[in-house]
Amino acid sequence: PISNRPEEILSAWTALEVLSPQSYVRPEDLAGGDRSRIAKLNGLSLPWERGEKSRPNARLYYQVVLGSIKMEPAVESLIQRYGDTRPEKPGVRGQSALATIVVNRHGEIVESPAVGISSFGWGVITALNGELEDLSRWPDVERELTELIERLLIGEVAEGEDDEEQKKRPLTRENLFAAYNALVHEIGLPSEWIEPPDFAIRSYTYFKDPNPPEPLLLNSFFLADLALARKLFSEGKATANLRRYLGIDLPSNRRDLLNDTDSLAEAVSPGLTHLARWPGPGRYPLVLLQQAAVNLAFRETEAGGLLGINGPPGTGKTTLLRDLVAGVVTQRAEAMLRFDDPEMAFEHTGLKLKVGNGWIHLYRLNPSLRGFEMVVVSSNNKAVENVSAELPGLAAIANDATDLRYFKTLSDALYQSETWGAVAAVLGNLQNRSRFKQAFWWDDDSGFNTYLSAAAGSMREIEITDHITGQAKWRTPLIVEAEKPPVNREEALRRWKSAKEKFLSALEKSRRLQAMLEALQSELAKLPALAKAEKEADEKRAAAIETINRLEAMTVTLRQTEVEAASQLNQADQDLHKVRQEKPGLLARLFRTRTAREWSAKLSVLKLSYREAGAKHASAVEEVRRIESDLEHSHLERQATETAWRNASTRHQQTIQKLAEA
């Protein structure tokens, strides 16, 4: 059952890689297409037995291809066993080397790793036997097969011969085929699938380089890493990134920058944007989502992490990579600032190496300067080469970046083209790595070794022979002439301090600009709130004015009512006074004559009218007094809202103006 356990995922991946060999159609395909590097083994003597000479200034080695397996019948058998449901099945042709052996020009096996074994020969038989799970055992099987082959190549120890003398014996045809036959037998390959050893590849290294070439790459370069990953999971030591890569630990949350504008705004905020930029042609800035990708790449991977950036060809993925490079280089430069003396960046290991009659002390880089390396990798070699080769190209930087030059002589030699500086290396396959090592370090005219030697006071001049006279002349190496290494420690320190001051100045200026942009962003973020505050203050001011207008209209009406009530009260008072003057005599009132009764009734009516008029007048006076109080309060409220509105409007408009000016 499918469980998606990490060990099983890695086992399945290992199985795929084991069955994905490096194949070739012609022998020269393994030598970068150079047929002159193919040495046949089918003569009476082996190449090293014929005493072949090396190229000028080079050491000669042979990479012996220890037989091969034909791809077509092997893959066809796999398809018959397991099927292939792909609509378009890829064509399979050519061969895959079973193993390689590295020997020097005398046929002596070099120091380990001298033997490389292809996983495909063993893997295809294992798969055909239905033991797919066993394919994940390849790392252990490889070690066992390598030990077997090395033992057979060296042969039996002769009487009186020690191990070192045994290893220095030239490889014989007998030992070669014994190792081949043992490998075929151990794996169990059908005879019709295989071809015996037929050729070796001549490999050359610089004559001053004591190290032999690495064995040809026969297998997927993921295999060792996959084995390590399985081991880490089995021991419970898998790193956070490895767990996340295999989907064991999932992101806590996901945000869609295409639709979540708040998250996008955060991703491109000045505080998250790196101070460094790649000075590309025209110095154009990254577009919105490119900048978001760069910013998030730095944030998400600060303490370990993974970030996937997807996009069709031509959408600027390589362009944003350049800004990542610029950012990492700047971070490393900041780490270097803590050293007043660059010598302190190197720590003595306590180890030393004997060279001739002297000793070379070995140093390691201070831990604070590690972790800034960048590796560009891909399953497509050409894609990686394109990225790595473009970064140092002169066309990759702006025309006005004339002061951006960094060991240009060395970089020009590395790329055989016009560059601005040594910032990247095209590595990957054996040929690229060998070419880089030769050009970067060993080249007498432009190599870094020559520069450092000159800086240490032991410059070696280049000998030039006049083709006409045959006389030898001497000149300064190109890298010394162009790059001007310091002549003594004091000059080196002066240059270091000058570079630090220049960088610090640029860094501080950039930080000031970043702080300004952060402040502007903060102001920009306030705009909606400021606009809302101004609108609300204006609404309150308008409401206060409306209240005053309403109260003033009511005041006019109530004052008129109060005047009318006062007039009615006065009239009622006059009428009551008049009736009281018409008061009948005592006898008429005593005997309640008709006149007295009529007068008394009229008096009662007038008294009631007077009281009602008084009450109405008092009410009108009170209402006028209340409205006038409300009106006075409303005038104060209006003044307050007017002030608040003016302040809110001023803040809003000032912020708009500030942003417009910025």
Side-chain angles (χ1 to χ4, degrees), residues 416-431:
Q416 295 296 301
S417 62
E418 190 78 3
T419 65
W420 63 266
V423 69
V426 175
L427 301 174
N429 61 41
L430 177 63
Q431 186 175 349

Side-chain angles (χ1 to χ4, degrees), residues 390-441:
E390 286 173 7
L391 287 173
L394 198 60
I397 62 171
N399 292 331
D400 59 352
T402 54
D403 60 337
L404 185 58
R405 297 294 182 268
Y406 182 72
F407 291 106
K408 184 179 185 304
T409 308
L410 172 58
S411 186
D412 287 353
L414 281 172
Y415 292 95
Q416 295 296 301
S417 62
E418 190 78 3
T419 65
W420 63 266
V423 69
V426 175
L427 301 174
N429 61 41
L430 177 63
Q431 186 175 349
N432 285 346
R433 297 199 305 274
S434 177
R435 186 186 299 123
F436 170 78
K437 186 163 62 172
Q438 163 63 27
F440 178 83
W441 187 255

Side-chain angles (χ1 to χ4, degrees), residues 343 407 448-460 479-480 483-492 495:
E343 281 189 15
F407 291 106
F448 198 55
N449 186 26
T450 299
Y451 177 89
L452 292 178
S453 296
S458 57
M459 185 186 74
R460 298 182 295 272
I479 193 167
V480 176
E483 306 299 341
K484 301 287 190 300
V487 296
N488 52 46
R489 189 176 186 278
E490 288 70 26
E491 184 184 351
R495 292 188 187 184

Side-chain angles (χ1 to χ4, degrees), residues 10 221-230 232 242:
L10 292 165
F221 39 78
F222 298 142
L223 283 171
D225 292 327
L226 292 172
L228 174 60
R230 288 184 74 240
L232 290 172
L242 181 55

